[in-house]
Amino acid sequence: MSLIAFDFDGTLSDSEMTVLLAERAGVTDEVAEITERAMNDDIGYAESLYRRAELLEGLSAVDVEDAFDAVRIRPGAARLIERLREAGHHVAVLTGGFERGVEAALAREGVAVDTIVANRLPTGPDGALTGEAEGPLIEGTKDDALGDLAAEVGGPMTETVAVGDGANDLPMLEVAGLAVGFVPKSAVRPVCDSVVASMYRLGKVLEAHGVLADAE
């Protein structure tokens, strides 16, 4: 059994949760600028997330629900997750994005993962966003999360696989046994063992490395 860890926004999903929320809050440009700077490692991820959360303060419960309901996983992602779990692997989502969006997107496709490590946007009594953010992957980094999870499931780091695209994925990509970039940012590409642009190609890479049996 191997531990397979996916980033979510920009990797397993082509949605960006903060963008979907920002559209409904009327702060799309401001959030996009902060996101881009963080993905290219110009500012720290924690700082970027706190700034974006502040911009979303007061967004209503209805708009929040609508935004998370709009999150989608990429074509072929559900089947790939199923294949990995059928092969006995532990599939995890390690994301600086938000638990509610991950859960909604997976449930919509009728697929589940073994572990989700994600952040949260707290809400007030009326369900509106407070402008704060909390969770294990704000100050915490994905290399520690991957290491903790590998220890928990009882597998060596050499048998872990990490798939990501942005600067906050760098730590887990650097320590994983196999690092795969999903259309990675320029700062991320040098640490990747393979680079893919579709879930189909990712499946082929995993087959080539013996993580999955060849598809019939």
Side-chain angles (χ1 to χ4, degrees), residues 29-51:
D29 291 345
E30 297 94 319
V31 165
E33 181 186 355
I34 296 168
T35 301
E36 187 63 23
R37 291 181 65 198
M39 292 298 276
N40 286 310
D41 217 12
D42 294 333
I43 60 172
Y45 182 77
E47 179 186 355
S48 78
L49 186 56
Y50 288 133
R51 284 192 193 178

Side-chain angles (χ1 to χ4, degrees), residues 154-198:
M157 287 296 286
T158 53
E159 292 182 12
T160 59
V161 179
V163 187
D165 72 307
N168 70 320
D169 298 316
L170 271 171
M172 74 169 179
L173 291 167
E174 288 171 340
V175 301
L178 174 62
V180 184
F182 197 100
V183 194
K185 301 294 189 290
S186 56
V188 177
R189 187 174 288 263
V191 308
C192 298
D193 299 308
S194 296
V195 171
V196 299
S198 69

Side-chain angles (χ1 to χ4, degrees), residues 12-191:
L12 202 57
S13 170
D14 60 2
S15 306
E16 289 284 348
M17 286 184 233
T18 51
V19 172
L20 292 169
L21 291 159
E23 287 172 353
R24 288 152 180 83
V27 291
T28 306
D29 291 345
E30 297 94 319
V31 165
E33 181 186 355
I34 296 168
T35 301
E36 187 63 23
R37 291 181 65 198
M39 292 298 276
N40 286 310
D41 217 12
D42 294 333
I43 60 172
Y45 182 77
E47 179 186 355
S48 78
L49 186 56
Y50 288 133
R51 284 192 193 178
R52 286 177 284 173
E54 286 176 10
L55 289 168
L56 299 172
E57 182 178 358
L59 189 64
S60 73
V62 171
D63 283 334
V64 172
E65 188 78 17
D66 185 56
F68 286 138
D69 281 346
V71 179
R72 299 286 186 272
I73 59 175
R74 292 184 185 276
R79 180 59 191 139
L80 182 60
I81 291 169
E82 287 173 349
R83 287 180 65 198
L84 287 165
R85 297 189 76 207
E86 286 165 2
H89 300 306
H90 188 104
V91 179
V93 172
L94 306 183
T95 178
F98 309 113
E99 203 169 61
R100 279 176 64 185
V102 175
E103 290 172 346
L106 294 174
R108 181 173 294 103
E109 297 297 326
V111 69
V113 298
D114 298 287
T115 303
I116 297 173
V117 181
N119 296 323
R120 295 170 297 282
L121 293 173
T123 56
D126 60 353
L129 297 184
T130 63
E132 300 170 332
E134 61 185 24
L137 289 176
I138 300 179
E139 305 291 347
T141 52
K142 292 187 180 183
D143 54 338
D144 290 338
L146 187 68
D148 290 346
L149 197 51
E152 189 179 311
V153 303
M157 287 296 286
T158 53
E159 292 182 12
T160 59
V161 179
V163 187
D165 72 307
N168 70 320
D169 298 316
L170 271 171
M172 74 169 179
L173 291 167
E174 288 171 340
V175 301
L178 174 62
V180 184
F182 197 100
V183 194
K185 301 294 189 290
S186 56
V188 177
R189 187 174 288 263
V191 308

